Amino acid sequence: MDIKIKIIDRDGVLHEIDAPTDMNMNLMEVVRSYELAPEGTIGICGGMAMCASCQCYVKSDHELPEKSDDEEAMLAEAFNVRENSRLGCQLHITEAMDGLEVELAPEEL
Ligand code: FES
């Protein structure tokens, strides 16, 4: 099935998109598939929790899976990290995320 996700891009524009729960996609891949961030600025490590280009801020109060040690470690080194930061590539799209609202973190230069 599809769920709705609200994504605020790096220009502050809100996009409400449909994301499939049955295609084994993560949030970074969804952002890429909708081209909400320029090619080459997100998903640089391919979803391995090794670059933080997919960092986003979770704005809704959804219960999301705990961060893995790899995600914690990457966020400890990344820039612009906030309390609600997550790595999009580590968030697999599930039905529990219906209505999720996230904002893409600024690009790391
Ligand atoms: S794509 Fe590199 S950490 Fe998510």
Side-chain angles (χ1 to χ4, degrees):
M1 73 173 245
D2 279 355
I3 58 167
K4 299 268 183 211
I5 301 182
K6 288 183 184 160
I7 301 171
I8 300 169
D9 68 22
R10 291 175 177 145
D11 297 322
V13 179
L14 175 73
H15 306 265
E16 187 164 4
I17 53 107
D18 294 317
T21 57
D22 54 1
M23 287 178 63
N24 198 23
M25 285 178 91
N26 62 53
L27 187 60
M28 174 274 282
E29 292 167 332
V30 169
V31 171
R32 287 180 60 138
S33 70
Y34 280 92
E35 298 180 358
L36 301 183
E39 188 64 39
T41 69
I42 186 167
I44 293 165
C45 75
M48 306 290 286
M50 286 170 59
C51 72
S53 66
C54 63
Q55 185 188 171
C56 58
Y57 308 124
V58 178
K59 315 210 61 147
S60 52
D61 51 12
H62 285 68
E63 286 236 5
L64 298 173
E66 297 282 306
K67 297 181 193 111
S68 66
D69 291 348
D70 287 348
E71 182 176 358
E72 292 272 15
M74 189 62 240
L75 285 172
E77 288 175 24
F79 297 105
N80 304 304
V81 174
R82 298 180 192 165
E83 206 153 279
N84 57 351
S85 287
R86 294 298 302 253
L87 295 178
C89 69
Q90 302 300 300
L91 294 175
H92 284 272
I93 304 299
T94 64
E95 285 176 33
M97 287 185 191
D98 193 29
L100 185 74
E101 184 170 342
V102 300
E103 178 176 357
L104 302 184
E107 188 181 350
E108 285 190 14
L109 300 171

XYZ file of all heavy atoms in Angstrom:
838
model
N 0.836 -1.201 0.000
C 0.000 0.000 0.000
C 0.873 1.255 0.000
O 2.078 1.166 0.177
C -0.935 -0.011 1.221
C -0.250 0.268 2.557
S -1.454 0.444 3.894
C -1.232 2.151 4.368
N 0.234 2.366 -0.204
C 0.955 3.640 -0.163
C 0.625 4.390 1.110
O -0.512 4.358 1.568
C 0.534 4.533 -1.345
C 1.257 4.155 -2.621
O 2.142 3.282 -2.574
O 0.932 4.744 -3.666
N 1.598 5.054 1.651
C 1.342 5.954 2.774
C 1.674 7.377 2.336
O 2.357 7.583 1.331
C 2.185 5.580 4.017
C 3.682 5.616 3.685
C 1.777 4.226 4.561
C 4.564 5.581 4.918
N 1.176 8.334 3.086
C 1.458 9.746 2.797
C 2.618 10.211 3.670
O 2.619 9.952 4.878
C 0.244 10.618 3.148
C -0.994 10.258 2.366
C -1.070 11.082 1.113
C -2.364 10.753 0.365
N -2.204 10.899 -1.084
N 3.543 10.894 3.065
C 4.634 11.493 3.834
C 4.775 12.946 3.397
O 4.707 13.254 2.201
C 5.967 10.751 3.597
C 5.841 9.284 3.985
C 7.091 11.406 4.386
C 7.127 8.499 3.830
N 4.960 13.819 4.371
C 5.221 15.224 4.056
C 6.718 15.459 4.173
O 7.326 15.144 5.200
C 4.493 16.137 5.031
C 3.001 16.158 4.813
C 2.352 17.138 5.767
C 0.842 17.098 5.611
N 0.164 17.649 6.771
N 7.277 16.021 3.125
C 8.712 16.273 3.112
C 8.962 17.737 2.766
O 8.510 18.220 1.721
C 9.426 15.375 2.080
C 9.172 13.892 2.409
C 10.926 15.680 2.045
C 9.655 12.924 1.347
N 9.656 18.425 3.664
C 10.046 19.809 3.391
C 11.445 19.766 2.795
O 12.375 19.220 3.414
C 10.019 20.644 4.682
C 8.601 20.638 5.273
C 10.499 22.072 4.415
C 8.513 21.204 6.680
N 11.584 20.284 1.592
C 12.885 20.193 0.931
C 13.835 21.275 1.446
O 13.497 22.051 2.343
C 12.727 20.220 -0.600
C 12.252 21.568 -1.130
O 12.431 22.595 -0.446
O 11.701 21.582 -2.261
N 15.032 21.323 0.884
C 16.056 22.242 1.406
C 15.773 23.692 1.056
O 16.471 24.583 1.525
C 17.430 21.817 0.893
C 17.892 20.504 1.513
C 19.188 20.038 0.921
N 19.653 18.816 1.557
C 20.305 17.855 0.905
N 20.557 17.982 -0.383
N 20.700 16.785 1.548
N 14.786 23.912 0.213
C 14.354 25.287 -0.062
C 13.133 25.664 0.760
O 12.530 26.719 0.551
C 14.021 25.447 -1.553
C 15.243 25.220 -2.417
O 16.338 25.643 -2.015
O 15.097 24.590 -3.487
N 12.728 24.777 1.677
C 11.593 25.081 2.536
C 10.242 24.788 1.913
O 9.211 25.176 2.459
N 10.249 24.105 0.762
C 8.991 23.797 0.080
C 8.446 22.462 0.575
O 9.183 21.472 0.645
C 9.203 23.741 -1.450
C 7.897 23.404 -2.164
C 9.777 25.056 -1.950
N 7.167 22.448 0.920
C 6.532 21.230 1.418
C 5.989 20.393 0.268
O 5.283 20.904 -0.606
C 5.385 21.616 2.352
C 4.531 20.461 2.864
C 5.276 19.641 3.892
C 3.235 20.974 3.448
N 6.321 19.116 0.286
C 5.795 18.175 -0.703
C 5.045 17.086 0.042
O 5.578 16.520 0.990
C 6.934 17.509 -1.484
C 7.873 18.484 -2.114
N 7.748 18.894 -3.416
C 8.941 19.148 -1.609
C 8.715 19.765 -3.692
N 9.448 19.944 -2.616
N 3.822 16.799 -0.368
C 3.112 15.679 0.222
C 3.111 14.570 -0.809
O 2.544 14.716 -1.893
C 1.679 16.069 0.607
C 1.009 14.956 1.358
C -0.249 15.387 2.102
O -0.642 16.568 1.973
O -0.830 14.547 2.791
N 3.763 13.487 -0.477
C 3.984 12.453 -1.486
C 3.433 11.110 -0.995
O 3.192 10.902 0.182
C 5.479 12.340 -1.844
C 6.326 12.141 -0.587
C 5.977 13.586 -2.543
C 6.835 10.762 -0.461
N 3.248 10.206 -1.959
C 2.844 8.834 -1.643
C 4.095 7.968 -1.666
O 4.881 8.041 -2.611
C 1.880 8.303 -2.716
C 0.565 9.048 -2.702
O 0.050 9.303 -1.600
O 0.066 9.374 -3.793
N 4.246 7.149 -0.647
C 5.403 6.252 -0.603
C 4.903 4.823 -0.433
O 4.034 4.562 0.393
C 6.319 6.631 0.556
N 5.448 3.903 -1.204
C 4.995 2.506 -1.122
C 5.620 1.771 0.058
O 6.800 1.946 0.344
C 5.489 1.907 -2.448
C 6.707 2.709 -2.783
C 6.497 4.090 -2.221
N 4.818 0.967 0.744
C 5.354 0.193 1.876
C 5.839 -1.184 1.419
O 6.429 -1.911 2.194
C 4.268 -0.036 2.944
O 3.160 -0.681 2.329
C 3.826 1.279 3.557
N 5.555 -1.515 0.175
C 5.826 -2.896 -0.271
C 6.957 -2.981 -1.288
O 7.080 -3.935 -2.026
C 4.546 -3.499 -0.866
C 3.975 -2.619 -1.963
O 4.574 -1.568 -2.261
O 2.923 -2.973 -2.515
N 7.801 -1.957 -1.348
C 8.907 -1.991 -2.312
C 10.262 -1.950 -1.631
O 11.281 -1.703 -2.274
C 8.766 -0.856 -3.321
C 7.628 -1.132 -4.304
S 7.403 0.200 -5.479
C 8.983 0.156 -6.325
N 10.256 -2.190 -0.327
C 11.502 -2.210 0.438
C 12.317 -0.936 0.228
O 13.525 -0.980 0.008
C 12.339 -3.449 0.062
C 13.394 -3.735 1.110
O 13.253 -3.318 2.271
N 14.454 -4.420 0.721
N 11.630 0.197 0.267
C 12.323 1.473 0.079
C 12.567 2.135 1.422
O 11.843 1.912 2.388
C 11.479 2.427 -0.774
C 11.472 2.074 -2.240
S 10.427 3.207 -3.163
C 11.624 4.465 -3.628
N 13.600 2.957 1.449
C 13.811 3.789 2.630
C 13.522 5.244 2.267
O 13.299 5.576 1.097
C 15.219 3.587 3.202
C 16.299 3.988 2.227
O 16.288 5.102 1.709
N 17.238 3.087 1.958
N 13.537 6.085 3.288
C 13.129 7.471 3.066
C 14.074 8.203 2.109
O 13.638 9.014 1.295
C 13.056 8.193 4.421
C 12.494 9.602 4.413
C 11.066 9.622 3.876
C 12.525 10.184 5.827
N 15.353 7.920 2.192
C 16.308 8.541 1.265
C 15.947 8.196 -0.177
O 15.966 9.062 -1.062
C 17.734 8.091 1.619
C 18.815 8.536 0.674
S 19.057 7.431 -0.732
C 19.985 6.094 0.004
N 15.616 6.937 -0.422
C 15.275 6.519 -1.786
C 13.984 7.180 -2.264
O 13.850 7.509 -3.451
C 15.150 4.994 -1.842
C 16.492 4.311 -1.638
C 16.370 2.814 -1.374
O 15.330 2.364 -0.830
O 17.316 2.106 -1.686
N 13.067 7.376 -1.347
C 11.818 8.060 -1.710
C 12.121 9.505 -2.121
O 11.637 9.994 -3.147
C 10.808 8.017 -0.542
C 9.620 8.942 -0.806
C 10.339 6.592 -0.307
N 12.951 10.175 -1.329
C 13.323 11.561 -1.654
C 13.979 11.615 -3.032
O 13.686 12.478 -3.857
C 14.265 12.138 -0.577
C 14.831 13.484 -1.013
C 13.529 12.276 0.746
N 14.842 10.656 -3.303
C 15.494 10.616 -4.611
C 14.506 10.320 -5.721
O 14.586 10.920 -6.800
C 16.596 9.562 -4.611
C 17.800 10.003 -3.818
C 18.871 8.952 -3.836
N 19.303 8.678 -5.190
C 20.567 8.500 -5.533
N 21.516 8.578 -4.631
N 20.896 8.243 -6.773
N 13.592 9.410 -5.478
C 12.694 9.032 -6.565
C 11.772 10.191 -6.943
O 11.355 10.297 -8.086
C 11.904 7.770 -6.228
O 10.969 8.037 -5.218
N 11.494 11.063 -5.995
C 10.676 12.243 -6.300
C 11.530 13.451 -6.672
O 11.009 14.549 -6.867
C 9.772 12.590 -5.121
C 8.525 11.726 -5.036
C 8.525 10.561 -4.282
C 7.364 12.078 -5.712
C 7.392 9.760 -4.204
C 6.230 11.287 -5.640
C 6.241 10.130 -4.887
O 5.120 9.344 -4.815
N 12.850 13.246 -6.692
C 13.801 14.314 -7.052
C 13.597 15.559 -6.188
O 13.550 16.679 -6.690
C 13.709 14.643 -8.544
C 14.074 13.440 -9.394
C 14.008 13.695 -10.888
O 13.637 14.813 -11.293
O 14.336 12.765 -11.642
N 13.471 15.321 -4.885
C 13.269 16.439 -3.957
C 14.590 17.077 -3.536
O 14.586 18.102 -2.854
C 12.489 15.973 -2.722
C 11.102 15.382 -3.016
C 10.391 15.032 -1.725
C 10.255 16.338 -3.850
N 15.681 16.472 -3.907
C 17.005 17.051 -3.676
C 17.829 16.780 -4.925
O 17.679 15.730 -5.555
C 17.669 16.417 -2.456
N 18.680 17.733 -5.311
C 19.450 17.543 -6.541
C 20.298 16.271 -6.503
O 20.842 15.912 -5.463
C 20.350 18.786 -6.603
C 19.680 19.791 -5.731
C 18.963 19.014 -4.666
N 20.374 15.621 -7.631
C 21.196 14.424 -7.785
C 22.604 14.700 -7.243
O 23.159 15.769 -7.463
C 21.257 14.100 -9.286
C 21.909 12.805 -9.654
C 21.170 11.586 -9.131
O 19.929 11.598 -9.153
O 21.844 10.642 -8.698
N 23.125 13.761 -6.499
C 24.488 13.918 -5.990
C 24.566 14.625 -4.650
O 25.656 14.774 -4.097
N 23.419 15.077 -4.124
C 23.451 15.743 -2.821
C 22.781 14.904 -1.746
O 22.759 15.298 -0.583
C 22.759 17.122 -2.851
O 21.352 16.943 -3.036
C 23.318 17.996 -3.953
N 22.236 13.775 -2.129
C 21.582 12.916 -1.132
C 21.791 11.462 -1.524
O 21.777 11.127 -2.706
C 20.082 13.254 -0.999
C 19.463 12.456 0.145
C 19.325 13.026 -2.293
C 18.081 12.936 0.557
N 22.055 10.653 -0.516
C 22.260 9.225 -0.789
C 23.640 8.909 -1.304
O 23.840 7.916 -2.001
N 24.593 9.726 -0.934
C 25.941 9.608 -1.502
C 26.594 8.251 -1.181
O 27.259 7.663 -2.025
C 26.820 10.779 -1.024
C 26.291 12.088 -1.641
C 28.289 10.567 -1.385
C 26.813 13.346 -1.004
N 26.390 7.747 0.016
C 27.013 6.463 0.381
C 26.162 5.277 -0.043
O 26.505 4.132 0.244
C 27.311 6.412 1.873
S 25.831 6.150 2.895
N 25.047 5.555 -0.678
C 24.210 4.459 -1.144
C 23.338 3.848 -0.061
O 22.810 2.752 -0.228
N 23.218 4.548 1.058
C 22.316 4.050 2.097
C 23.003 3.205 3.146
O 22.362 2.374 3.795
N 24.301 3.427 3.328
C 25.075 2.601 4.263
C 25.282 3.272 5.623
O 26.113 2.811 6.400
C 26.455 2.315 3.655
C 26.404 1.709 2.274
S 25.790 0.024 2.326
C 27.230 -0.770 3.017
N 24.592 4.371 5.893
C 24.791 5.128 7.145
C 26.217 5.643 7.261
O 26.792 5.687 8.341
C 24.418 4.293 8.374
N 26.808 6.018 6.124
C 28.200 6.443 6.141
C 28.444 7.835 5.571
O 29.588 8.220 5.340
C 29.056 5.436 5.357
C 29.254 4.145 6.145
S 29.993 2.829 5.169
C 31.520 3.594 4.674
N 27.383 8.627 5.324
C 27.665 9.944 4.737
C 26.829 11.079 5.345
O 27.224 12.226 5.276
C 27.430 9.906 3.221
S 25.692 9.821 2.750
N 25.675 10.765 5.885
C 24.767 11.763 6.464
C 24.154 12.728 5.447
O 23.497 13.692 5.832
C 25.413 12.557 7.603
N 24.335 12.468 4.167
C 23.698 13.333 3.164
C 22.177 13.192 3.197
O 21.469 14.046 2.669
C 24.208 12.994 1.764
O 23.796 11.696 1.388
N 21.701 12.140 3.797
C 20.257 11.884 3.840
C 19.640 12.338 5.164
O 18.496 11.983 5.453
C 19.990 10.400 3.644
S 20.705 9.409 4.974
N 20.420 13.092 5.944
C 19.901 13.505 7.256
C 18.597 14.289 7.106
O 18.457 15.139 6.215
C 20.928 14.389 7.976
C 20.477 14.750 9.387
C 21.358 15.792 10.078
O 21.002 16.265 11.134
N 22.479 16.164 9.483
N 17.664 13.998 7.986
C 16.425 14.772 8.007
C 15.988 14.971 9.451
O 16.461 14.293 10.358
C 15.345 14.082 7.190
S 14.973 12.428 7.740
N 15.117 15.937 9.636
C 14.560 16.218 10.952
C 13.126 15.717 10.972
O 12.329 16.066 10.094
C 14.583 17.726 11.225
C 15.933 18.355 11.019
C 16.102 19.422 10.144
C 17.056 17.880 11.693
C 17.349 20.001 9.942
C 18.308 18.440 11.504
C 18.440 19.512 10.624
O 19.671 20.066 10.422
N 12.822 14.933 11.972
C 11.466 14.375 12.083
C 10.594 15.374 12.825
O 10.866 15.725 13.976
C 11.503 13.023 12.826
C 10.085 12.477 12.991
C 12.386 12.028 12.078
N 9.543 15.857 12.170
C 8.719 16.937 12.740
C 7.433 16.440 13.374
O 6.818 17.137 14.161
C 8.400 17.965 11.651
C 9.640 18.313 10.833
C 9.648 19.689 10.275
C 9.595 20.747 11.304
N 10.290 21.967 11.018
N 6.996 15.265 12.981
C 5.787 14.702 13.585
C 6.215 13.786 14.730
O 7.396 13.476 14.870
C 5.003 13.921 12.529
O 5.842 12.979 11.889
N 5.244 13.372 15.552
C 5.668 12.569 16.714
C 5.433 11.082 16.497
O 4.973 10.382 17.389
C 5.041 13.080 18.008
C 3.538 13.238 17.883
O 2.995 12.735 16.874
O 2.931 13.841 18.771
N 5.749 10.607 15.314
C 5.672 9.174 15.030
C 6.718 8.406 15.837
O 7.820 8.897 16.041
C 5.918 8.923 13.542
C 4.767 9.291 12.676
N 4.376 10.588 12.494
C 3.915 8.519 11.971
C 3.318 10.599 11.694
N 3.024 9.369 11.369
N 6.331 7.213 16.249
C 7.303 6.320 16.885
C 8.077 5.631 15.777
O 7.513 4.876 14.999
C 6.582 5.265 17.717
C 6.023 5.826 18.977
C 6.540 5.074 20.204
O 7.398 4.179 20.041
O 6.086 5.402 21.301
N 9.350 5.897 15.712
C 10.172 5.299 14.667
C 11.112 4.282 15.299
O 11.395 4.355 16.495
C 10.980 6.390 13.961
C 10.123 7.441 13.244
C 10.985 8.571 12.727
C 9.338 6.791 12.108
N 11.595 3.335 14.497
C 12.544 2.353 15.042
C 13.761 3.053 15.645
O 14.163 4.118 15.172
C 12.953 1.541 13.806
C 11.883 1.777 12.805
C 11.312 3.139 13.082
N 14.295 2.460 16.684
C 15.495 3.005 17.340
C 16.630 3.132 16.335
O 16.709 2.372 15.375
C 15.956 2.033 18.429
C 14.974 1.835 19.556
C 15.006 2.989 20.535
O 16.101 3.298 21.034
O 13.943 3.598 20.775
N 17.520 4.067 16.607
C 18.710 4.187 15.756
C 19.645 2.999 15.995
O 19.830 2.569 17.133
C 19.477 5.464 16.100
C 18.699 6.729 15.836
C 19.566 7.944 16.193
C 18.730 9.206 16.239
N 18.555 9.771 17.555
N 20.232 2.533 14.922
C 21.267 1.507 15.052
C 22.552 2.177 15.539
O 22.677 3.410 15.513
C 21.532 0.854 13.693
O 22.098 1.819 12.821
N 23.513 1.380 15.960
C 24.807 1.937 16.370
C 25.455 2.698 15.216
O 26.076 3.744 15.421
C 25.751 0.820 16.834
C 25.284 0.207 18.152
O 24.392 0.800 18.794
O 25.805 -0.848 18.533
N 25.316 2.184 14.005
C 25.910 2.860 12.842
C 25.278 4.231 12.625
O 25.968 5.207 12.335
C 25.695 2.028 11.571
C 26.583 0.797 11.550
O 27.506 0.713 12.380
O 26.333 -0.078 10.706
N 23.963 4.301 12.774
C 23.283 5.586 12.585
C 23.704 6.566 13.681
O 24.005 7.728 13.401
C 21.763 5.393 12.577
C 21.014 6.696 12.331
C 19.512 6.521 12.211
O 19.006 5.386 12.268
O 18.824 7.557 12.059
N 23.736 6.091 14.916
C 24.175 6.948 16.032
C 25.578 7.498 15.764
O 25.841 8.682 15.958
C 24.233 6.142 17.345
C 22.897 5.701 17.886
C 22.239 6.731 18.786
O 22.673 7.906 18.768
O 21.277 6.353 19.478
N 26.449 6.628 15.319
C 27.841 7.017 15.114
C 27.956 8.062 14.009
O 28.701 9.041 14.128
C 28.682 5.786 14.771
N 27.195 7.876 12.933
C 27.263 8.835 11.825
C 26.688 10.174 12.256
O 27.269 11.230 11.970
C 26.494 8.280 10.613
C 26.675 9.092 9.359
S 28.396 9.130 8.791
C 28.730 10.887 8.864
N 25.594 10.158 12.986
C 24.991 11.423 13.419
C 25.883 12.139 14.431
O 25.851 13.371 14.536
C 23.597 11.178 14.011
C 22.503 10.880 12.970
C 21.213 10.465 13.657
C 22.252 12.089 12.062
N 26.695 11.393 15.151
C 27.606 12.018 16.109
C 28.677 12.838 15.398
O 29.249 13.762 15.971
C 28.258 10.947 16.991
N 28.929 12.514 14.130
C 29.968 13.214 13.370
C 29.402 14.233 12.391
O 30.141 15.041 11.850
C 30.754 12.210 12.513
C 31.661 11.315 13.290
C 32.294 10.276 12.370
O 32.389 10.530 11.151
O 32.666 9.219 12.883
N 28.123 14.166 12.133
C 27.541 14.994 11.074
C 27.357 16.438 11.546
O 27.414 16.726 12.744
C 26.193 14.407 10.653
N 27.131 17.319 10.581
C 26.847 18.721 10.888
C 25.336 18.939 11.013
O 24.552 18.139 10.526
C 27.379 19.632 9.780
C 28.861 19.567 9.634
C 29.439 18.880 8.573
C 29.699 20.183 10.557
C 30.832 18.813 8.435
C 31.079 20.129 10.436
C 31.634 19.429 9.366
N 24.974 20.044 11.617
C 23.558 20.469 11.691
C 22.657 19.437 12.368
O 21.472 19.351 12.060
C 22.995 20.751 10.283
C 23.813 21.781 9.542
O 24.015 22.878 10.029
N 24.306 21.422 8.366
N 23.233 18.654 13.258
C 22.440 17.606 13.894
C 21.575 18.196 14.998
O 22.029 19.044 15.768
C 23.361 16.498 14.461
C 22.553 15.479 15.262
C 24.100 15.818 13.321
N 20.336 17.770 15.030
C 19.401 18.192 16.066
C 18.898 16.949 16.799
O 19.137 15.826 16.381
C 18.196 18.923 15.448
C 18.576 20.182 14.708
C 17.311 20.834 14.141
N 17.657 21.874 13.185
C 16.793 22.396 12.328
N 15.533 21.986 12.306
N 17.165 23.343 11.486
N 18.147 17.223 17.854
C 17.603 16.117 18.652
C 16.738 15.177 17.797
O 16.684 13.982 18.041
C 16.749 16.714 19.762
C 16.623 15.851 20.979
C 16.361 16.738 22.185
O 17.323 17.302 22.733
O 15.183 16.865 22.522
N 16.065 15.746 16.806
C 15.145 14.942 15.995
C 15.769 14.508 14.669
O 15.059 14.158 13.731
C 13.839 15.707 15.749
C 14.059 17.052 15.080
O 15.197 17.520 14.936
N 12.982 17.679 14.661
N 17.093 14.526 14.599
C 17.755 14.092 13.367
C 17.688 12.582 13.196
O 17.843 11.839 14.166
C 19.238 14.486 13.394
O 19.408 15.864 13.212
N 17.482 12.172 11.973
C 17.603 10.762 11.587
C 18.273 10.694 10.229
O 18.272 11.660 9.474
C 16.210 10.096 11.473
C 15.452 9.974 12.771
C 16.133 9.113 13.808
N 16.397 7.757 13.383
C 15.729 6.668 13.811
N 14.754 6.813 14.676
N 16.048 5.453 13.380
N 18.805 9.529 9.929
C 19.317 9.282 8.585
C 18.185 8.650 7.774
O 17.693 7.570 8.115
C 20.516 8.342 8.627
C 21.759 8.880 9.340
C 22.852 7.810 9.337
C 22.262 10.164 8.695
N 17.810 9.335 6.704
C 16.678 8.849 5.903
C 16.886 7.437 5.385
O 15.942 6.654 5.284
N 18.137 7.106 5.068
C 18.389 5.773 4.492
C 18.188 4.666 5.508
O 18.116 3.496 5.134
C 19.784 5.692 3.891
S 21.121 5.725 5.104
N 18.116 5.029 6.775
C 17.932 4.004 7.809
C 16.467 3.864 8.210
O 16.134 3.073 9.088
C 18.789 4.328 9.035
C 20.269 4.450 8.710
C 20.836 3.168 8.121
O 20.802 2.117 8.754
N 21.339 3.231 6.876
N 15.605 4.644 7.560
C 14.174 4.581 7.878
C 13.442 3.863 6.752
O 13.189 4.440 5.687
C 13.610 5.988 8.067
C 14.154 6.752 9.283
C 13.605 8.177 9.294
C 13.802 6.037 10.586
N 13.125 2.620 6.981
C 12.394 1.859 5.978
C 10.919 2.218 6.031
O 10.349 2.391 7.093
C 12.639 0.369 6.161
C 13.991 -0.009 5.660
N 14.224 -0.368 4.363
C 15.189 0.028 6.274
C 15.522 -0.570 4.196
N 16.142 -0.331 5.339
N 10.343 2.375 4.868
C 8.962 2.829 4.786
C 8.023 1.732 5.277
O 8.008 0.633 4.730
C 8.608 3.203 3.320
C 9.575 4.257 2.760
C 7.168 3.676 3.224
C 9.589 5.566 3.491
N 7.275 2.057 6.315
C 6.306 1.095 6.856
C 4.965 1.810 7.048
O 4.906 3.047 7.051
C 6.747 0.563 8.234
O 6.773 1.665 9.161
C 8.110 -0.098 8.167
N 3.934 1.013 7.229
C 2.603 1.588 7.427
C 2.552 2.503 8.642
O 1.789 3.469 8.672
C 1.562 0.472 7.579
C 1.238 -0.175 6.265
C 0.285 -1.360 6.405
O -0.572 -1.306 7.295
O 0.428 -2.297 5.609
N 3.384 2.206 9.633
C 3.392 3.016 10.859
C 3.842 4.447 10.581
O 3.661 5.335 11.412
C 4.305 2.371 11.906
N 4.427 4.683 9.411
C 4.915 6.030 9.074
C 3.889 6.871 8.346
O 4.212 7.982 7.913
C 6.144 5.921 8.176
C 7.367 5.454 8.901
S 8.722 5.542 7.721
C 9.944 4.660 8.619
N 2.695 6.372 8.188
C 1.682 7.154 7.481
C 1.515 8.512 8.161
O 1.368 8.580 9.382
C 0.359 6.391 7.471
C -0.637 6.993 6.497
O -0.207 7.592 5.486
O -1.849 6.883 6.754
N 1.584 9.576 7.378
C 1.439 10.923 7.929
C 2.731 11.521 8.460
O 2.728 12.644 8.972
N 3.817 10.798 8.328
C 5.114 11.298 8.804
C 5.449 12.640 8.151
O 5.146 12.860 6.976
C 6.206 10.279 8.451
C 7.609 10.569 8.971
C 7.674 10.296 10.471
C 8.646 9.708 8.250
N 6.058 13.522 8.933
C 6.502 14.797 8.372
C 7.976 14.973 8.707
O 8.376 14.888 9.869
C 5.692 15.950 8.962
C 6.060 17.271 8.322
C 5.092 18.399 8.709
O 3.973 18.110 9.176
O 5.490 19.559 8.544
N 8.770 15.189 7.677
C 10.215 15.384 7.873
C 10.683 16.593 7.079
O 10.042 17.026 6.121
C 11.034 14.155 7.427
C 10.650 12.908 8.207
C 10.915 13.905 5.939
N 11.813 17.109 7.508
C 12.451 18.212 6.778
C 13.869 17.762 6.438
O 14.572 17.230 7.318
C 12.491 19.444 7.682
C 13.181 20.631 7.049
C 13.111 21.872 7.929
O 12.485 21.835 9.011
O 13.711 22.880 7.509
N 14.293 17.975 5.226
C 15.656 17.598 4.855
C 16.641 18.544 5.508
O 16.456 19.768 5.495
C 15.835 17.658 3.332
C 14.892 16.780 2.503
C 15.263 16.883 1.019
C 14.923 15.327 2.965
N 17.684 17.982 6.094
C 18.733 18.814 6.698
C 19.510 19.499 5.579
O 19.524 19.021 4.446
C 19.654 17.930 7.542
N 20.157 20.626 5.896
C 20.932 21.309 4.854
C 22.020 20.400 4.297
O 22.500 19.515 4.995
C 21.575 22.490 5.600
C 20.829 22.614 6.872
C 20.246 21.293 7.197
N 22.401 20.683 3.078
C 23.469 19.913 2.450
C 24.773 20.170 3.187
O 25.065 21.321 3.565
C 23.594 20.370 0.990
C 24.525 19.533 0.173
C 24.618 20.058 -1.260
O 23.822 20.952 -1.638
O 25.486 19.577 -1.981
N 25.551 19.140 3.393
C 26.867 19.315 4.028
C 27.873 19.641 2.938
O 28.014 18.930 1.969
C 27.295 18.025 4.740
C 26.534 17.841 6.022
C 27.119 16.712 6.866
O 28.238 16.269 6.586
O 26.430 16.297 7.801
N 28.581 20.727 3.139
C 29.543 21.131 2.107
C 30.954 20.849 2.555
O 31.229 20.703 3.714
C 29.381 22.613 1.784
C 27.997 22.993 1.262
C 27.857 24.507 1.185
C 27.744 22.371 -0.102
S 22.688 7.800 2.320
Fe 24.554 7.967 3.343
S 23.977 7.972 5.389
Fe 22.115 7.775 4.376
